[in-house]
Amino acid sequence: MHRVPLIIVSIALALVALGTSPASIHAEEPPTEVSRSDWGEQRLEKQLTRPATVQHLQSYSPLTVPTPPQKYLSIADGVTQQRSTILAQGFENTFPSPPWITLGLGNSNVAWGATGQRRSSGSRSAWCAQSGPDFPGAGQDVPPNTQSWMIAGPLDLSGTSSGEVNFDLWLETEQGFDIFFLGASLDGVNFTVLGRDDNTSGWESFTQDLTAWGSLGDLTGNSQVWFAFLYESDGSIAFEGAYVDNIQVVTDTNDSLNLTVNQIDADDCPQMRAVVSVTDGTGSPVQGLTNQNFTLTEDGQSRSLSVQTVSTGGGALSVGLVLDGSGSMSNADIDNIQSASNQFINLLGSSDRVAVYHFGTDVSLIQDFTTNKAAARNAVNQLTDNLGGTSLYDAIGQAANRTAAISGRKALIVMTDGQDNDSNITQQQAINAARNAGVPVFTIGFGFADRNVLQTIADQTGGLSFLGATSSDLQTILGLIGQTLNNQYILTWTAGAADGGQHDVTITVRRQGQSATRTTSYSQAGTACTGSTSPCVEGPTTLCLNQGRFEVEVDWLDRAGNTGPGRTVACGTDDSGLFWFFDPENWEMLVKVLNGCGVNGHYWTFFAATTNVGYDLTVRDTQTGLQKTYSNTLGVSSPAITDTSAFATCP
């Protein structure tokens, strides 16, 4: 990796009143033609008068990432450290979109945009003259007097202790006169930039330390930081300019708490299970968490939780090992994959199952899921380096489809040294296959592996991504994955609606003054929640109300973590009933399901409970299969509920 600080400059975007003249540039220093060596460390102040655009830039609120931040481990000097990628841009999707904007502020009106003309990986990169009225055409020279900005932010670096900006650069420029800059700002207006004005040898990878950014110094710990990519050309000789790809802002945190939602299991819907991992700032699993450490909301509504560790209630684990045997693999790579995979298999429990896939141009299932560890090791040891191209996406898709029929905890572990060049499906189709199967994908890359692709796959499926310097790091990485899988937590709750649809879940973990929150979604399609029309059967834990049409049950949770079903009281009416939780002489809850069809076209649910324990009350319409769940958070006094729009299922 290259370090970029060749030139340190401070650039000010000065806000001026609306109604001023069109965009213009005033440069006090240096003169029109000046070489890089003449600049040295002197400061350059520039005024860019583009009022509406600059004000729009400042209107952005701090970045909120809607999906869990990407996590990976980087291996350096034998030390493993957990990191967060808070910004990743490979230009494969819509660009620009928040937190990105592009500005063309030179006399030539061009700006950065996504292009397929050149790319470091994937199908697109960003070119400094791709958009705007003066777009010169793909692959042509950048117009003279260009000042093209690409800005992201603000990003929240509070709580971080170190990190860097990583990116790939292709640069063809007039040395000393046309310059590529990487900038940072604490206010979105004044940027301190680092410059390069000599050509790259094709695509080259660069990194810039966040703790040593010129006159700005250490950027970590700041709650708002903007980053900019800028290309400037003068008025004479023109070249193709700058392309940028695979931008990342990566940070380290001290004593942090990290939460990953590995899996949501809806097979027993409406009884839901989330499998989660909690790690500290070193990547080590956090142990000893209980109900009191977790909260969960579903579609914005709090749910009562039961929390177990995998050792007490997680069940067996099913792991698919997906191993790269493409032609780019060396004999040493194959040996390292085999050794690390066999050691990982030895970490599995006696009831855990493992499957082994090899992939190159084609994908082969060498060993289906088995508890026979010797058979699994034999399949691993058959891996060779003569399997052709790299069908990474096909391998993930096929392995995910196989796990779709497997219930319980599961995971895919993918090891590769390269980029996909032979698949029949896309990256997104591979991700969708894993999401539909409910299986997290742990990706391990070394050599020329595409870090953005591997992190995206892991992040969007609930896994983690690991980047090793070489295949020799695999043993350490697989050991960490084994620790993570062996220390997962199982969160159980009752779904609030059994409608066969998509639902959002937000989980928060708190420990010793620290917290982490992740939001994800799950689908009830194909589960029992798509609608059960079985008749209501009165029993010791079931009320059948309103002429037996509505089935009513309740589950409770106390402060000791004990759970159980509510018990019916041997009295009541056709539309009303009672439950007790701990003592048949101590009634806890009155429930009524009323026919309001003649009033507002709905059946109504009314109930009241004299308790502060957690509970989930489920009411099911046996004629339509629709059901609703009402929850109370442990420790909160139960409110009285009068839901007059509970079921629009009249008559």
Side-chain angles (χ1 to χ4, degrees), residues 155-165 182-187 190 192 194 208-227 249 251:
L155 305 182
D156 187 357
L157 302 187
S158 60
T160 65
S161 58
S162 61
E164 66 261 359
V165 176
L182 170 66
S185 171
L186 299 182
D187 59 8
N190 300 287
T192 296
L194 312 166
Q208 171 57 36
D209 188 349
L210 294 178
T211 66
W213 203 288
S215 61
L216 280 184
D218 190 351
L219 300 180
T220 62
N222 289 287
S223 61
Q224 293 192 96
V225 180
W226 286 258
F227 294 98
V249 178
T251 59

Side-chain angles (χ1 to χ4, degrees), residues 257 259 276 278 286-296 304-309 312 487-492 507-512 557-562 634:
L257 198 62
L259 171 67
V276 305
V278 183
V286 175
Q287 300 176 334
L289 302 180
T290 67
N291 288 29
Q292 282 68 40
N293 297 104
F294 291 93
T295 58
L296 182 147
S304 297
L305 275 180
S306 173
V307 177
Q308 293 178 297
T309 62
T312 60
N487 289 278
Q488 291 172 315
Y489 292 91
I490 310 298
L491 280 54
T492 305
I507 299 172
T508 298
V509 59
R510 295 179 174 86
R511 173 179 174 266
Q512 298 178 356
L557 168 70
D558 67 15
R559 290 186 180 276
N562 301 312
L634 180 65

